[in-house]
Amino acid sequence: MMSHCEQLNVMMHVSRAIANFARFPQNTYKLVSYIPYVIQYFLKSSNDKLKLQGMRVILHLLSHASKETIQALLRDGAPEILDGLTTVPNALSVLQDVLLQSIPEKARPI
């Protein structure tokens, strides 16, 4: 039987492999049905590194199959993604910067 440390090590490798697999659009529809497992085992983990790998999976899936991923997150997982975004250093400021590339921060009154 594996120790907790060994199990965590295996889970880290599995989560990273799934996140890397999710990068490619051709794998998206194979993974969408597994979103509840990603949420349960990675996003809801007490281990921060597992949470981050889970976020990578979800963000890749949002890029390739946004409707299906959003539906799954609305059933379970949205709070974990939002919480994760607030804990990753600079994630929100990077998002704000990207938004400002599409819209002005200041505008003249109409």
Side-chain angles (χ1 to χ4, degrees):
M1 190 145 146
M2 283 196 278
S3 70
H4 176 71
C5 185
E6 290 171 325
Q7 286 179 331
L8 183 59
N9 189 38
V10 170
M11 288 297 288
M12 285 301 304
H13 287 295
V14 168
S15 65
R16 188 180 69 250
I18 293 171
N20 290 341
F21 191 72
R23 286 178 54 202
F24 302 98
Q26 64 267 31
N27 300 328
T28 300
Y29 292 99
K30 295 173 184 127
L31 290 174
V32 166
S33 62
Y34 291 96
I35 291 174
Y37 297 103
V38 171
I39 293 165
Q40 179 182 355
Y41 295 112
F42 304 147
L43 291 180
K44 292 187 176 188
S45 171
S46 60
N47 182 284
D48 290 337
K49 290 181 180 181
L50 280 177
K51 286 181 187 180
L52 292 175
Q53 293 293 1
M55 287 181 59
R56 286 185 60 221
V57 173
I58 297 298
L59 293 174
H60 285 310
L61 295 177
L62 278 168
S63 297
H64 307 306
S66 56
K67 184 177 179 179
E68 295 86 348
T69 306
I70 289 168
Q71 287 174 348
L73 289 172
L74 288 174
R75 285 190 290 277
D76 188 25
E80 287 78 14
I81 282 289
L82 293 172
D83 183 55
L85 288 174
T86 64
T87 60
V88 174
N90 300 319
L92 295 178
S93 61
V94 168
L95 284 171
Q96 288 288 353
D97 291 345
V98 170
L99 289 172
L100 289 175
Q101 292 175 6
S102 299
I103 56 169
E105 186 172 13
K106 298 178 183 177
R108 294 189 315 189
I110 297 178

